[in-house]
Amino acid sequence: MRVAVRIIHLVKHVRRVGLFFGAALAMAPCLAAARDALPIERLVLPPGFHVEVLSDRVPGARGMTLGPKGTLFVGSRAQGVVYAITLDPSRAYAARVQTVASGLNMPVGVALRNGALYISAVSRIVKLDNIESRLDNPGKPIVVYDKLPGESHHGWRYIAFGPDQRLYVGVGAPCNVCKRDGDRFAMIGSMKPDGTDWQVVARGVRNTVGFDWQPRTRTLWFTDNGRDQLGDDVPDDELNRLTRIGEHFGFPYCHAGDIADPEYGREKRCADFTPPMAKLGAHVAALGMRFYTGKQFPKDYRGSLFIAEHGSWNRSRKVGYRVVRVVLDAKGNVARQEIFAQGWLGDDASVWGRPVDLLTLPDGSLLISDDEAGAIYRITYRKP
C-alpha cells in the first residue's frame, strides 16, 4: 500500500512539473512575441550596432536611472507611476516589470543616491528609501522638498545627482514664452539630498528635460526646448554648457543665441547671454542627453553625447523622432552632429515611437526609453 501511495504521489508530482514546464514553454513564445511586436526592424543604426526590445510593458516610459544592484527605474508622465525593471543576467530583456510608486503628479524624473530613489512630482521631490531591498513593498514616498512651482505647463521635471552629490532639478517656464520670477521658473536648481540649501544654478532655460555632466571636466551640459509659434524653422532647440553658477542662457529675451524674441527682445540684447554650444534644429524636442561612458562601442564613440529627439508636435512637416550623436573636439567644443538611430518616424509621417531618455549600462550597451510605444530599447555593438 505504501508503495502504491508513493507511486500516486510521484505521478502527481510529475504531472505538476510537466504542467509547470509546459506553461513556461507556452509563455516563452508569448514573451518573445511581446518583445518582437514593435517594428524595430525599421530602426536604422550605423554598421555593427544592433537594437532589441528590453521591454514593451512600460507605458509612458520617460526618465531612467540604474540602481547599484542592477534594477532599472523608469518614470512616467500622464501615467503617474514609477516602474522597477529587473533585468535578466544577460541584460537582454526585462525579467520583471513592477510598479513601485503610483498616484504621483507627472513623476518623470528619477535619481538614486545611497539606496534611495528620488522622484520628481511637479511641486514636490519625494523618495523611497532602500528601494532595491523593498521592491515588493516600497512603502509610501517620503517628501524631501515641496516648494517647487505647481504649474503643470512644462511642470514635468528631469532630476539627477551631480558630481557634487547635490540633486539638480529642471524647472521649466509655465508658458510658451513669458517673463516670470527667474528664481522659480525657466531655470535649473539644486539642493542637498535632504532638501535643504536650494539654489539657482542656471537661468534663462525655457524647458530642459535632460542634462548630464561631462566625465572629464565635470561640467554640466543640458538640452533646452525652443519656443513655439515663430514658424517651422526657428528657433532651434539648444545644447548648452554651464560654466558658472547663475549663468543666463537668454529666455525669454533671446532664443538659440541670436534670435530676439518679438515681445521681450527689445529689453535685452542676445549678446548679454550665453549662446548654445550647438543648435539642434527647430521643434525637434531634444529631451534626454547622456555622455557615453561605456567601452562596448567603438573607441571614437567614447565621450560623445547622445541626445533623444522626442519629435515635433506643431510643425507642418514632422522632424525629430530619433537619437543624435554629438561629437566633441579635444577642447570640448562641438565638432559635429550625426544621426545615430532613426526610423520611429515613417516616410508617410506616421509615428510609432518617440525617444525620451538614454542610459549607459555597465556592460557598455545603451538604453533608450520611448513613451509613445511604452518601451525600453537596448543598443549593443558587435564589430562587423
Side-chain angles (χ1 to χ4, degrees):
M1 179 65 69
R2 290 180 180 177
V3 173
V5 170
R6 287 177 180 174
I7 291 174
I8 291 171
H9 283 307
L10 179 61
V11 170
K12 289 181 177 179
H13 175 71
V14 170
R15 285 177 178 172
R16 284 196 298 268
V17 172
L19 287 171
F20 172 79
F21 281 106
L25 290 172
M27 187 179 297
C30 292
L31 290 173
R35 294 199 307 275
D36 294 340
L38 295 175
I40 60 171
E41 70 279 358
R42 300 181 190 176
L43 297 178
V44 180
L45 296 100
F49 289 92
H50 305 272
V51 61
E52 58 196 350
V53 178
L54 189 77
S55 176
D56 62 355
R57 295 175 291 154
V58 198
R62 300 281 294 198
M64 297 184 291
T65 192
L66 188 70
K69 296 181 180 179
T71 309
L72 178 67
F73 295 95
V74 185
S76 68
R77 186 172 154 187
Q79 290 74 15
V81 304
V82 176
Y83 307 96
I85 300 179
T86 303
L87 307 180
D88 89 308
S90 71
R91 297 188 178 92
Y93 66 90
R96 185 183 184 192
V97 180
Q98 60 193 120
T99 298
V100 293
S102 60
L104 297 174
N105 191 4
M106 296 193 287
V108 166
V110 287
L112 273 158
R113 184 180 183 275
N114 292 339
L117 176 66
Y118 288 71
I119 305 166
S120 66
V122 185
S123 63
R124 303 183 302 157
I125 302 294
V126 300
K127 70 172 181 175
L128 294 167
D129 286 327
N130 304 314
I131 185 61
E132 286 190 286
S133 300
R134 305 169 58 194
L135 293 178
D136 294 323
N137 186 25
K140 185 178 179 180
I142 301 167
V143 176
V144 176
Y145 189 79
D146 62 359
K147 297 180 177 61
L148 294 168
E151 283 83 347
S152 59
H153 194 118
H154 294 151
W156 48 95
R157 315 204 184 286
Y158 188 85
I159 61 175
F161 278 98
D164 56 3
Q165 299 305 309
R166 293 177 65 89
L167 182 67
Y168 286 70
V169 183
V171 182
C175 56
N176 174 33
V177 60
C178 59
K179 187 165 63 173
R180 296 285 294 272
D181 185 351
D183 287 331
R184 288 181 56 77
F185 297 99
M187 54 87 167
I188 300 173
S190 77
M191 66 180 81
K192 291 182 178 179
D194 62 1
T196 61
D197 192 31
W198 171 266
Q199 60 182 252
V200 176
V201 175
R203 302 179 188 275
V205 181
R206 180 177 177 270
N207 185 40
T208 180
V209 197
F211 44 80
D212 196 10
W213 288 261
Q214 187 177 19
R216 182 174 55 85
T217 64
R218 294 163 61 115
T219 54
L220 175 65
W221 292 63
F222 60 92
T223 57
D224 191 13
N225 295 160
R227 65 156 292 174
D228 299 312
Q229 300 174 357
L230 288 185
D232 274 0
D233 301 317
V234 292
D236 285 75
D237 283 5
E238 303 173 13
L239 174 63
N240 293 298
R241 179 180 65 185
L242 184 74
T243 60
R244 64 181 184 278
I245 298 298
E247 197 167 4
H248 201 297
F249 293 87
F251 181 85
Y253 311 101
C254 179
H255 310 286
D258 55 9
I259 298 176
D261 186 79
E263 183 175 355
Y264 300 105
R266 296 181 184 87
E267 299 180 25
K268 295 187 179 182
R269 304 175 306 154
C270 284
D272 296 333
F273 307 109
T274 301
M277 296 298 292
K279 296 181 179 182
L280 303 175
H283 306 294
V284 297
L287 301 187
M289 59 139 288
R290 303 274 182 146
F291 284 94
Y292 180 70
T293 56
K295 295 182 179 179
Q296 183 183 126
F297 291 4
K299 189 174 181 180
D300 64 324
Y301 277 77
R302 298 172 193 174
S304 294
L305 270 167
F306 287 101
I307 299 176
E309 295 182 355
H310 197 231
S312 58
W313 64 271
N314 65 341
R315 194 176 185 275
S316 61
R317 184 175 181 179
K318 293 176 181 176
V319 291
Y321 307 94
R322 62 189 186 181
V323 174
V324 172
R325 175 191 175 205
V326 178
V327 180
L328 306 182
D329 63 21
K331 295 182 179 180
N333 296 314
V334 174
R336 69 180 188 275
Q337 302 179 46
E338 60 188 33
I339 299 171
F340 176 71
Q342 63 180 336
W344 289 280
L345 174 64
D347 293 336
D348 59 353
S350 61
V351 173
W352 65 270
R354 304 186 74 181
V356 178
D357 197 17
L358 308 117
L359 182 67
T360 306
L361 287 182
D363 67 356
S365 59
L366 182 70
L367 299 186
I368 303 171
S369 63
D370 177 346
D371 63 348
E372 178 78 10
I376 308 292
Y377 312 101
R378 177 172 175 255
I379 294 180
T380 56
Y381 177 79
R382 296 187 297 275
K383 188 175 181 178

